[in-house]
Amino acid sequence: METQAIKLDKVEVDRIVFYNPQTKWGIFRVRNDERIQLLDGPPLPDIAVAGNFEGVYVGCKVTVDGDIVQHPKYGRQVQIKNITVIHDNTTQEGVINFLTKSVIKGIHVQNAKKIYKKFGQSSIDVVLDTPDRLSEISGIGPTTVQKVKESIEQYKKMKDLIQFSIDNGIPYSQIFKLHEM
């Protein structure tokens, strides 16, 4: 199978095609606004990206390092070597999308709107760094705060493991297997 290295920089996730939360393996599509050429053939309007990932949701932006491959059944796609989800804290929509669609559990749209109203562009930092402050918001009780804190703890452990693995040349596909050990 012919491969070519590629970096997709800050591309928007258009659709999650498949995702298995147990194995953290899936396929999503990103818009090819720059008309990136994948191997031989015409530029595609969108690009399939396959591999292990977590925290990707429709509307978020990602940076992907990977290999372009020609899958015998599904055609040209990018296989993930490394992926970074870019958190948009510059807009209300970006903050609400992150809080409700990322790996953080327990925050629904109504509460995300309340969080943004209280903390503005600092909302993501407040949730990730000082989740106890969520109790300042009407309608968010101790059970929700605890659920958020537990998911943030998992998120941070994975983020640290991913960075450690990348720094030490461990393939991205092996990171989730390491996490389960």
Side-chain angles (χ1 to χ4, degrees):
M1 192 173 345
E2 181 183 357
T3 65
Q4 172 188 341
I6 190 170
K7 180 175 187 122
L8 303 175
D9 193 32
K10 298 177 185 167
V11 292
E12 185 174 337
V13 175
D14 198 34
R15 182 168 58 112
I16 305 290
V17 176
F18 171 79
Y19 185 68
N20 182 323
Q22 282 76 37
T23 63
K24 310 289 191 235
W25 190 91
I27 301 169
F28 61 88
R29 292 197 164 274
V30 297
R31 295 181 187 148
N32 189 359
D33 294 333
E34 299 171 14
R35 300 292 178 222
I36 297 167
Q37 181 83 19
L38 299 182
L39 299 174
D40 295 329
L44 301 172
D46 63 356
I47 301 169
V49 180
N52 294 96
F53 57 87
E54 188 172 45
V56 172
Y57 53 91
V58 173
C60 75
K61 292 199 177 191
V62 295
T63 296
V64 177
D65 291 307
D67 290 323
I68 302 170
V69 298
Q70 182 69 33
H71 190 281
K73 185 174 180 181
Y74 300 109
R76 293 175 284 174
Q77 58 185 239
V78 175
Q79 289 191 337
I80 298 169
K81 285 184 176 176
N82 182 25
I83 184 169
T84 303
V85 179
I86 300 158
H87 307 300
D88 175 13
N89 64 352
T90 61
T91 66
Q92 180 177 355
E93 179 184 19
V95 170
I96 290 171
N97 279 337
F98 174 78
L99 294 177
T100 59
K101 297 178 181 177
S102 70
V103 296
I104 297 173
K105 307 280 188 262
I107 300 176
H108 303 289
V109 174
Q110 291 295 64
N111 285 341
K113 288 178 180 178
K114 291 178 187 178
I115 293 167
Y116 188 83
K117 186 175 181 180
K118 176 140 181 96
F119 301 116
Q121 291 181 341
S122 301
S123 297
I124 293 173
D125 293 332
V126 168
V127 171
L128 292 177
D129 299 331
T130 55
D132 287 322
R133 291 198 62 200
L134 294 177
S135 61
E136 298 172 18
I137 297 171
S138 172
I140 299 181
T143 304
T144 300
V145 171
Q146 187 59 35
K147 187 185 280 188
V148 169
K149 287 169 73 171
E150 289 170 1
S151 67
I152 290 169
E153 187 177 313
Q154 271 304 107
Y155 169 79
K156 287 183 176 182
K157 283 181 185 176
M158 278 305 299
K159 190 174 178 183
D160 292 343
L161 177 60
I162 289 168
Q163 191 58 55
F164 173 82
S165 298
I166 291 167
D167 291 346
N168 289 286
I170 298 169
Y172 197 81
S173 61
Q174 300 298 312
I175 295 170
F176 296 101
K177 292 176 185 173
L178 287 171
H179 180 256
E180 292 171 2
M181 297 177 118

